[in-house]
Amino acid sequence: MSRVIALAGNPNCGKTTLFNRLTGSSQKVGNWPGVTIDRKEGRIKSIGAVLVDLPGIYSLSPYSPEEVVSRDFLLDSRPDAIINIVDATNMERNLYLTSQILDMGIPTVIALNMMDTVRKDGTVIDTEKLSKALGCRVVGISALKGEGMEELLEAVSSADEAPSPVRLSGPLEKSISEISENLRDKVPEEHLRWYSVKALERDVLAIERIGDSWNKISEIIEKLEKEEDEESDSLVASERYGSISDIVASSVKTKRTSGSYTTSDKIDRIVTHRWLGLPIFAGVMFLVYYISITTVGGWGTDWVNDVFFGEWAIPGAASWLEGMAVDPVLSAFIVDGLIAGVGAVLGFLPQMLVLFVLLVILEDSGYMARIAFVMDRVFRRFGLSGKSFIPILIGTGCGVPGIMASRTIESERDRRITAMTTTFIPCSAKLPIIALIAGALFGGSALVALASYFIGVLAILLSGIILKKWPSLSGTPSEFIMELPPYHVPGIATVIRSTFEKGWAFVRKAGTFILLACGIVWFLSAFDWSMSMVGDINDSMLADIGNAITWIFVPLGWGDEWQFSVGTITGLLAKENVVGTFGVLFGFSEVAESGDEIWPIIAAMLTPIAGFSFLVFNLLCAPCFAAIGAMRRELGTWKATGAAVLYQCLLAYAVSMVIFQIGSLLIYGTFGIWTVAAFATVALIAYILVSKEPFARYRHKTSEAAA
Ligand code: GDP
Ligand code: MG
């Protein structure tokens, strides 16, 4: 059996770079059981070992899923060795994790990364001394430049001795060894110190595993706390930091004279400036959008839509199928259903690839960390962290990459809330709906678009407050680590690899999930219940379904007209479909983007306030299937995804009803049972926003479901 090696380290210390370098292209990505955290595994061919990438973490405490996943893997799967990657430009913070890893008694090699930067700064690190102080091999490397790889691999393949742990002060060590005595036969011998220290910190998960010796241990801890007059966990933490800073002081010599600023510091003083930060950021994002959506990416997308699919793929496939004398039904299914549907999605690929390239560059250069830092000041007030802002921003182009971008958020709680709310922001596919309603009912006013974005942002911020009150999503936004990585020129390999990974995930989705959905919707719109093909879509199963559900939307003001229900349903496939569906339903086979042919018809069917309610519902309700699929990937289970979609639909319904009912009351003076319901809804939302624990009764249920 080949050796299993775990790769552990802080976020941003170069773990992915090293992982890619060591394993090349042999990578398997999966999930850790029970959580939506990537589990990457790859082979190091030269030494015949398997490398498992643990999530980036700052410590081995029992609080975040990332930390729990990492420690469970180290304790239960018992890798043969650990590579602990340490950012040499940030030793104090990184070695805090190291000191906890060393307690585990698993052979460990420290890969001291970013040595290229350290050298440039004129800092000298004595790895010999460091190695002695830490009690394990230390190898200086640069994952980016590929320096020190051979020495690292040699150290890893020969690592078979348990490291000697970082010692704490006399009284603490005494308590630790007393606890060890009580644990000796209860836990694996090699992990004895780790369990003892964790017990001393009153680590809940460690206590669970220790079982009945806890009472005795508890006495030992209380005795220590009385003597030292401090909580045991903060004692351990402060002594860890104390030992580490002694070690660092003795083995690292910095040249930098105090008071002088590095280039990074100087740039940061401008881009994270209290007042300048936001405008600079707005400028950068405008540029990103201009390039990826409007110009370069837009040209690519137009080409794919108009030329590739419009002129080649669809007509080509149609005539080929005709030439092969394929059954016309099957041929229509393939061309109008599958190719057209998948094509509508793949059409976004060029825009997305350009967007990904630019975003990876922004991220890799270190600028994204600054944006998150700037936005954090605003978002924190709404229970969101600054990192949630990036997915939302990307979501204005397309919700799918927006949701996927939530992956960059380290805390699972923030990631889930962000994945659930990102699609409230109007994506580019929703713009035609906005244009249609604005044109048909509001004289083309730009205020309709402005209001749409405003409502989107408001929905996100309010959802931040509401969702964090839900027991399984509660807690404060994840700590924002203030240390910002130094700027550097992004590596071409990283950019290409990340872009490719993201693009491929997108294509794969179009090829599976969306393909299936397209087939189903085409089928429903082309046949009636007796399974004969219909000439008029009004006779189709889809029309019947629209009629069957349309009463639901009566309180929103557009439920009398079944076409709007069908438009809403087909919008689930892709929001572009809403306008296209109206074109078909109202007898125009082709409609321009803005749909101005059908403006008069819509104007005759809906009042402006009903039209606005329809717009808002379509903006906020369940996103398209592609985005739901992306949400499923981030949330992990269909159950959680279903709950998120339900929340989105309920919120959409509530907001649209309030808009239509209270709007009608103000404009036309109409009053009825639904007006009362609208006011009740406002009161309910206000209660949820203000109340401390509005969902307290669900606490038990959800924590069970989470377990
Ligand atoms: P992870 O979050 O731990 O997976 O870190 P990444 O591998 O994504 O690296 C974070 C950043 O540090 C990236 O921008 C890398 O290009 C950069 N980086 C990684 N290793 C080195 C290195 O040895 N030297 C320098 N200068 N930068 C590095
Ligand atoms: Mg990484």
Side-chain angles (χ1 to χ4, degrees), residues 95-123:
L95 289 179
Y96 185 67
L97 175 67
T98 304
S99 73
Q100 297 187 31
I101 288 177
L102 293 177
D103 281 347
M104 286 195 154
I106 301 171
T108 301
V109 174
I110 291 176
L112 199 57
N113 192 30
M114 315 254 182
M115 288 303 277
D116 54 321
T117 311
V118 167
R119 236 177 290 127
K120 226 185 276 163
D121 292 348
T123 304

Side-chain angles (χ1 to χ4, degrees), residues 10-18 113-117 141-145 364 488 491 494:
N10 283 190
N12 271 317
C13 64
K15 233 154 44 63
T16 303
T17 313
L18 180 64
N113 192 30
M114 315 254 182
M115 288 303 277
D116 54 321
T117 311
I141 66 164
S142 164
L144 190 68
K145 306 241 151 92
D364 207 35
H488 73 101
T494 314

